[in-house]
Amino acid sequence: ALLLALLCLRGRGQGQGFGQTRFVCTSVPLDGDVCAASAPGGGSAEELRSTVLQLRETVLQQKETIVNQKDTIRELTAKLGRCESQSVLEPGDGKGGGGGRKGGFAKNTMGDLSRAPAAETLSQLGQTLQSLKTRLENLEQFSRMNSSSQTNNLKDILQNKIDDLEKQVLSRVNSLEEGKYNPKNESEERGKIESTLTSLHQRISDLEKGQKDNRPPDRFQLTFPLRTNYMYAKVKKSLPEMYAFSVCMWIKSSASPGMGTPFSYAVPGQANELVLIEWGNNPMEILINDKVAKLPFVINDGKWHHICVTWTTRDGVWEAYQDGTQTGNGENLAPYHPIKPQGVLVLGQEQDTLGGGFDATQAFVGELAHFNMWDRKLSPGEVYSLATCSTRALAGNVIAWAEANIDIYGGATKWTFEACRQLN
């Protein structure tokens, strides 16, 4: 019996594509050596081996192209999901225009838009993973310069975790594409992935911290690169009952429309006890017990700005400062309502329930630093000292900006704060 072997020989002087390849069939004995068979035209066994290797390389290249095309398809699928979600949201704005917000807030409609679709969440998870991988690559370069078995072992563990996360995300994408995705399991599965992301981020942050100089505990900033419903930071300490407050921070964002929610404070029974939010095309607003005041801030330009809001319960008097200068004031903002204690203070997300109920459309996108809070009204001089990074500037007596006071979740990152260094 004879074994029919296909020996694929490239046409001489022709291109590298499959469209210009000649297929030659040669009969080879069953116990014969395929590679030893001579090709028509007098080709040697060595030439055949070379041709087979070249073809094998071409096939591998084609496989790689197919994999890349699959990745492109998945990316386009995610973008299509976002487009579809936007087209669904456009006809009804959910929030209403500026004139219709007052009644809406009384019903706690801060999160009435639908949550981000699964495809969008997966896309954002993929971007987060890519960000973590980039940071891990930087750590690898550092470990090469300062090689130790402990650093290398940690690096390997983190790389394995990233690989596992990518498999989970890929599995969810495949389930979506095949129509097998079960919405009932979405919260549980997403929770597992986000929990792993948080743990992974913390491990990488710990390694990165070892590379930094011993910086002061307040010289750091939080970065929220994506509009998600899982990136946030939580202040470990709650607020006391307050009859006045001042809240100040450095902030940087170019997100549009609206930078989102720099911070929100919720208490049992009232998710909007104290919220700073810039949502959609509305100006930035401060909410106290669901009552709203529009703030005259112009800060959505991608540059660092220092902002402060002061308030007293007597007549609900408030003042707004930008970059050390008072830009607005008013009264009758939740008059004679004390800020309630024992709540949850979150940076980067708006709460619809105590400590949760986040909506990606209201998430903060940008950078935030030096979030401080006092239980009194600051003077204009004190605000100016903060905005100019004066050594006389005070830390908040209720909330002071320090790494030990902040827990971060979902891939939000900490970096060294540079704005004050640029001013000094």
Side-chain angles (χ1 to χ4, degrees), residues 65-82:
T65 300
I66 291 171
V67 170
N68 291 337
Q69 289 173 344
K70 285 184 177 180
D71 291 340
T72 302
I73 290 171
R74 293 192 180 96
E75 181 181 354
L76 291 174
T77 301
K79 290 180 178 178
L80 179 60
R82 289 197 293 273

Side-chain angles (χ1 to χ4, degrees), residues 84-105:
E84 289 174 343
S85 67
Q86 291 171 4
S87 65
V88 170
L89 295 177
E90 282 173 1
D93 189 24
K95 293 288 179 189
R101 293 173 64 88
K102 186 175 181 181
F105 280 122

Side-chain angles (χ1 to χ4, degrees), residues 272-314:
N272 299 324
E273 182 69 5
L274 178 57
V275 181
L276 184 67
I277 184 170
E278 185 182 75
W279 190 89
N281 294 315
N282 300 290
M284 184 166 281
E285 297 171 337
I286 185 82
L287 281 74
I288 299 177
N289 191 33
D290 259 334
K291 307 302 185 292
V292 185
K294 297 182 184 299
L295 304 177
F297 292 146
V298 183
I299 52 181
N300 188 343
D301 58 2
K303 299 178 181 178
W304 279 108
H305 293 281
H306 187 265
I307 61 173
C308 280
V309 179
T310 70
W311 172 87
T312 59
T313 185
R314 183 178 177 86

Side-chain angles (χ1 to χ4, degrees), residues 1-42:
L2 294 177
L3 173 67
L4 188 62
L6 289 178
L7 302 180
C8 306
L9 305 178
R10 298 179 190 271
R12 298 185 183 276
Q14 296 179 358
Q16 298 296 316
F18 276 122
Q20 300 182 359
T21 300
R22 293 187 295 113
F23 296 89
V24 180
C25 298
T26 303
S27 297
V28 180
L30 184 61
D31 57 350
D33 184 356
V34 175
C35 294
S38 60

